[in-house]
Amino acid sequence: MAGTRFDVFSAAILAVALGFAGWSVGQGVERFRMADRSVTVKGLAELDVKSDFAIWTLGFRRGGDGFDSVQRQLSADRQQVVAFLTAQGFSADEIETRPLQVQDLLAREWGNNNVALRFTGQGQVVVKSPRVDLVAKAANASDPLIQAGVQLDNQDGYAGPRYQLRGFNDVKPRLLEEATRNAREQASKFATDAGATLAGLRSANQGVIRVLDDDGSDMDTSRTIGKRLRVVSTFQFGLQ
């Protein structure tokens, strides 16, 4: 009698699996095993979150024929940048000024004597703040600095803030919980269609959590305040 029940159970799963194969590819059912009565599924989860920290580097550059004049201009630029940030509402703890750098182009061993300006210099003021909305607002209001003659210097072709998700571990459980729920739904459907009962979880593989921008791209996720977390986890459930 027990052998008959097993044969019926196996036949049911086999019949469902044959008709289920095409559907399962797109729905997360990865494989099933009649020998140990188990099904392995993938659980997909996505979670939209907001960055919780911003780093904005305001670089500026000057050039000239006199070392002292370039240094004075850079110092004045730095004061204007700090004044602008203070007016935007940033505290002294959120503003970091870095040492000015002035270079003599003729002093370089590999330098070309035919240079338009002998001295070139640069400086940086860095904002580090958890107030990401304030940073974004200030970045969009920085035109007065340019109008005042401050030559803002793009870093790697991008002058805007960089946004981070430092509280990643705080939102990670929610993402994995959703992936588990999604996987259990897939496994439950398979078990129901097979005339079986879903048993307990046998194993789980978290998978790699990807951090995307708010449009789902992973080209440069630091430029957007909004982030999208995505994970595909693998779970094995028993069948009865």
Side-chain angles (χ1 to χ4, degrees):
M1 186 67 175
T4 301
R5 286 199 302 269
F6 179 80
D7 291 342
V8 172
F9 178 85
S10 299
I13 290 187
L14 180 59
V16 171
L18 291 176
F20 203 59
W23 178 87
S24 65
V25 171
Q27 296 297 319
V29 178
E30 187 176 59
R31 63 181 179 272
F32 64 92
R33 293 168 56 92
M34 287 192 297
D36 58 2
R37 299 187 180 184
S38 67
V39 60
T40 301
V41 297
K42 288 187 177 296
L44 168 66
E46 290 186 341
L47 181 65
D48 289 331
V49 297
K50 184 177 180 180
S51 300
D52 53 19
F53 200 83
I55 299 178
W56 183 23
T57 301
L58 291 92
F60 44 93
R61 183 180 298 274
R62 287 284 184 175
D65 292 322
F67 179 90
D68 291 340
S69 64
V70 171
Q71 188 176 42
R72 284 195 301 270
Q73 289 175 332
L74 289 174
S75 180
D77 289 343
R78 183 170 61 185
Q79 291 177 7
Q80 288 196 71
V81 172
V82 171
F84 165 77
L85 294 173
T86 301
Q88 291 295 313
F90 294 104
S91 67
D93 292 337
E94 295 172 302
I95 302 173
E96 174 186 327
T97 59
R98 294 181 176 175
L100 303 176
Q101 298 179 358
V102 180
Q103 184 178 27
D104 184 351
L105 300 182
L106 297 183
R108 299 181 302 180
E109 295 179 0
W110 61 90
N112 185 349
N113 290 334
N114 186 22
V115 293
L117 298 173
R118 177 175 178 176
F119 296 96
T120 180
Q122 61 183 357
Q124 289 184 340
V125 176
V126 183
V127 176
K128 298 180 179 180
S129 174
R131 298 191 288 173
V132 295
D133 290 330
L134 181 61
V135 173
K137 179 182 177 182
N140 290 328
S142 59
D143 285 353
L145 286 175
I146 300 176
Q147 295 168 0
V150 179
Q151 301 174 25
L152 294 178
D153 186 27
N154 293 343
Q155 303 295 314
D156 300 325
Y158 177 66
R162 300 283 183 175
Y163 299 100
Q164 302 175 349
L165 181 61
R166 296 192 172 184
F168 174 80
N169 288 332
D170 295 333
V171 299
K172 179 179 174 181
R174 292 166 50 197
L175 184 70
L176 297 180
E177 181 180 351
E178 177 63 21
T180 304
R181 185 195 63 77
N182 179 261
R184 187 176 291 276
E185 287 181 356
Q186 306 305 325
S188 296
K189 179 170 178 56
F190 180 88
T192 299
D193 291 345
T197 302
L198 192 67
L201 178 65
R202 294 187 177 182
S203 65
N205 186 326
Q206 172 186 298
V208 177
I209 298 177
R210 298 176 61 195
V211 181
L212 312 174
D213 65 21
D214 52 8
D215 292 328
S217 170
D218 58 358
M219 294 297 293
D220 188 352
T221 60
S222 66
R223 296 189 182 188
T224 59
I225 293 181
K227 311 289 186 191
R228 179 169 298 171
L229 305 182
R230 177 182 296 165
V231 68
V232 178
S233 301
T234 305
F235 301 86
Q236 184 184 45
F237 294 92
L239 296 173
Q240 295 178 349

